[in-house]
Amino acid sequence: MKAWRVRRPGPVATGPMQFVDAPIPEPASDEVLIAVRTCGVCRTDLHVAEGDLPVHRPHVTPGHEVIGEIVSCGADVTGFPTGTSVGVAWLRHTCGRCRFCAAGRENLCPESRYTGWDADGGYAEFLTAPAAYVYALPDGYSDEELAPLLCAGIIGYRSLRRADLSPGGRLGIYGFGGSAHITAQVALAEGAEVHVMTRGEAARTLALELGAASAQGPADRPPVALDAAILFAPAGDLVPAAMQALDRGGTLAVAGIHLSDIPALNYQRHLFQERQLRSVTSNTRADAIEFLAFANRHRLDISGPGYPLAHADRALADLAAGSITGAATLRVSL
């Protein structure tokens, strides 16, 4: 099969990725083998390629927003007929025994493992995944629309819950890429008033087209005080601006797996009056199932460019340059 591998992590301009011929993987007893049709291009893939995240698997194949179909199953797997369409997301293993798993917080499991970081992912024609971590897909979407739901959608959904937005509240969104443009639609469907702070005229235009009440620059003050906010941009220097934009008792959730350093916060301006700053770590399978059910009930408008698999390096370069509006995908098979 054809697959991309991170040859040597580094800036995307240095060519850290290599397109190679590789053997088709064999599923373990608890895994399924999936023929990849489409894979989303996520900023986490860029962090893996550029080395912002430490290497977990040398020469890993990135990609964790996978849409494909079952080719074969391991000896212990039942209930997945050949040809079944499924999705594969970021979380691929938890221990099931620790206190976090027992409390329904498997995203915090110390033994958690991830697609495209700990194991080869979807920038390839085939991949394997544990059967317990693949998902049924909502109806009425193309593969290119489905793929971003598997991470951009799921992590945005969890971030919205972590932001603790009250019904009908005012939500600020900082950065408006693949995850943010989905999360904004979820919030709007639930009755929120959404304000977007982001660089790039095209992203601001998309935000307004989707129903945002306002769209301005990344560090600009929104026109109203915010009840909650989500920081999607991996820019720690936006944290003070986002915290200062919160109303009393507001919460800022930081959605990314990687963030540049946060400048010093002033207690009176940024934290006093019970403002909260929270991180978001991966997701649980329950989050994924709940969000995909939401996407089945509420039609989400997923937009973004498509690239052939052979041009995955260009897709990551465009993502790094900030020239992608919406959520990009790779066309792996027709």
Side-chain angles (χ1 to χ4, degrees), residues 76-93:
D76 297 334
V77 176
T78 59
F80 288 91
T82 300
T84 302
S85 292
V86 294
V88 178
W90 176 237
L91 184 69
R92 70 173 281 122
H93 169 80

Side-chain angles (χ1 to χ4, degrees), residues 299-327:
R299 172 69 191 183
L300 301 173
D301 183 7
I302 313 301
S303 62
Y307 299 77
L309 177 63
H311 293 172
D313 54 346
R314 192 179 81 190
L316 289 178
D318 290 347
L319 183 61
S323 59
I324 290 177
T325 300

Side-chain angles (χ1 to χ4, degrees), residues 152-166 169-173 179 182-194 228-232 251-255 278 280 291 294:
I154 293 169
I155 198 66
Y157 185 80
R158 182 171 183 87
S159 300
L160 183 58
R161 298 296 175 253
R162 289 283 291 163
D164 200 21
L165 180 66
S166 57
R170 296 166 169 173
L171 175 69
I173 292 180
S179 189
I182 298 172
T183 308
Q185 295 177 68
V186 176
L188 288 164
E190 294 180 336
E193 178 183 314
V194 175
I230 305 172
L231 176 59
F232 287 101
T251 298
L252 171 64
V254 179
R278 290 179 169 179
V280 180
F291 168 70
F294 180 96

